[in-house]
């Protein structure tokens, strides 16, 4: 599934990683009508709504510290892997994210984000 990306897609992926630490950058690197889907709530929103939701969840606190874990290029764009630790229900929980980004002309045109908690399940 991996492919050789063009320079615009490489630059987009580099900016994607930067946007994990500067959430507003997503507004610049996505087309204005870029749909974003999150597995956590199973709905499509605009990129501006997705960015606003991050700030809303943070409240008066800082935006979560997303940790980039790798990019895999595909024929249509790339997968981005990241993780974050958040307090949920009074407990620290580590979440893993896989973002499937469809790219065109150096911009994200569609994003699907799959979010899963680290559960420590052993066989």
């Amino acid at each position: 599934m991996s492919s050789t990306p063009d320079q615009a897609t490489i630059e987009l992926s580099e900016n994607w990683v930067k946007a994990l630490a500067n959430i507003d950058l997503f507004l610049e690197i996505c087309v204005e009508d870029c749909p974003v889907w999150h597995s956590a709530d199973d709905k499509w929103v605009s990129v501006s709504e997705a960015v606003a939701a991050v700030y809303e969840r943070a409240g008066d606190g800082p935006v979560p510290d997303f940790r980039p874990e790798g990019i895999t290029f595909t024929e249509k764009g790339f997968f981005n892997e990241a993780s974050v630790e958040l307090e949920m229900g009074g407990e620290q929980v580590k979440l893993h994210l896989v973002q499937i980004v469809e790219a065109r002309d150096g911009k994200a045109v569609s994003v699907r984000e799959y979010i899963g908690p680290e559960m420590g399940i052993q066989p």
Side-chain angles (χ1 to χ4, degrees):
M1 191 177 262
S2 184
S3 67
T4 304
D6 61 15
Q7 188 60 37
T9 302
I10 291 170
E11 289 173 10
L12 174 61
S13 73
E14 291 167 351
N15 283 326
W16 197 269
V17 172
K18 290 176 187 174
L20 292 173
N22 177 8
I23 300 300
D24 291 325
L25 184 56
F26 284 115
L27 298 170
E28 296 176 30
I29 62 176
C30 296
V31 296
E32 188 175 336
D33 61 348
C34 177
V36 179
W37 178 83
H38 296 111
S39 66
D41 54 13
D42 188 26
K43 67 179 180 180
W44 288 93
V45 297
S46 68
V47 68
S48 59
E49 290 171 317
V51 167
V54 171
Y55 286 115
E56 184 178 323
R57 278 189 224 97
D60 292 334
V63 170
D65 181 23
F66 294 95
R67 292 178 195 87
E69 296 187 8
I71 296 282
T72 302
F73 292 101
T74 67
E75 290 179 23
K76 294 182 178 183
F78 57 90
F79 295 132
N80 177 60
E81 297 175 63
S83 63
V84 65
E85 289 188 36
L86 302 171
E87 185 176 316
M88 297 175 66
E91 294 184 36
Q92 281 295 114
V93 176
K94 185 172 185 179
L95 300 177
H96 297 271
L97 298 83
V98 175
Q99 298 162 318
I100 302 171
V101 180
E102 185 177 341
R104 192 173 307 120
D105 300 325
K107 296 264 190 171
V109 297
S110 177
V111 180
R112 288 176 287 146
E113 181 176 82
Y114 294 86
I115 304 166
E118 189 168 286
M119 298 172 67
I121 297 174
Q122 299 297 317

